[in-house]
Amino acid sequence: MGEQKPRSSGASSSTDSISIPSPSPSPSPSPAPRQHVTLLEPSHQNKKKSKKVFRVFRSVFRSFPIITPAACKIPVLPGGSLPDQHRSGSSGSRVTGTLFGYRKGRVSLSIQESPRCLPSLVVELAMQTMVLQKELSGGMVRIALETEKRADKEKIKIMDEPLWTMFCNGKKTGYGVKRDATEEDLNVMELLRPVSMGAGVLPGNSEVEGPDSEMAYMRAYFERVVGSKDSETFYMLSPEGNNGPELSIFFVRV
């Protein structure tokens, strides 16, 4: 007979050390699903500048050197009233404007051709959302975004300016900065796609604000009036018979 080969056993012998697997860490909660963006490109999409440039301005805009005008140059008529573009037969175009932000965070302004389009402009304003809500509850709000007029800016459209000095009802509040729409911005615009006018809150999704935070928003139609190459104004259009707040946003080079 041949030499008997030792039989292999699937179980470990009592003399072998038993390796106990360490408990695997519990899986981290999956992030909230991203909203599928179905927004359309604006019909007149401007050529985008380098994203790197906007990131640089976003990181340093609070200390960016700028010549601040002595006073807010909002266009007014004698007597202190705003020019009524409707009575003067203005042919301004109608766009969708959305003010949104976490209550204790900075409020942003988004301009779209319609609620179905991607934002053509996003500006982070120098004001907390809750402060703007308080101003709006008082009735008339005039926001002026001013930038310095220089010879090297002749070929730059005013809406392509990266940085503005911001005034609210004549009081300087800081600096507003233009930025590319973030993923969170696009999620908000997608959620508000069925909304043409209105105000409310959306569930929060900010790591800074926490899971229980809420994002406030106000959306309305605005009349866009181009005064010159150095001035554009957005007048909020309220439904007829609505005694809601009056909001005007001025972009000017001075």
Side-chain angles (χ1 to χ4, degrees), residues 124-178:
E124 186 175 303
L125 303 178
M127 179 176 286
Q128 283 188 325
T129 305
M130 59 189 302
V131 175
L132 179 59
Q133 288 177 319
K134 183 179 179 181
E135 292 286 345
L136 289 169
S137 66
M140 180 179 293
V141 176
R142 303 175 183 178
I143 294 176
L145 295 162
E146 299 184 353
T147 186
E148 181 189 0
K149 183 188 293 187
R150 296 201 310 263
D152 58 349
K153 291 185 175 183
E154 287 296 322
K155 296 182 179 180
I156 300 177
K157 294 182 179 179
I158 187 168
M159 305 310 291
D160 290 335
E161 292 279 1
L163 187 74
W164 291 276
T165 304
M166 177 174 161
F167 298 84
C168 181
N169 288 341
K171 297 179 181 179
K172 182 178 176 180
T173 60
Y175 297 97
V177 60
K178 178 181 177 179

Side-chain angles (χ1 to χ4, degrees), residues 67-69 71-73 146-150 230 252-254:
I67 298 175
T68 304
C72 177
K73 307 271 192 314
E146 299 184 353
T147 186
E148 181 189 0
K149 183 188 293 187
R150 296 201 310 263
D230 293 322
V252 292
R253 272 195 285 244
V254 293

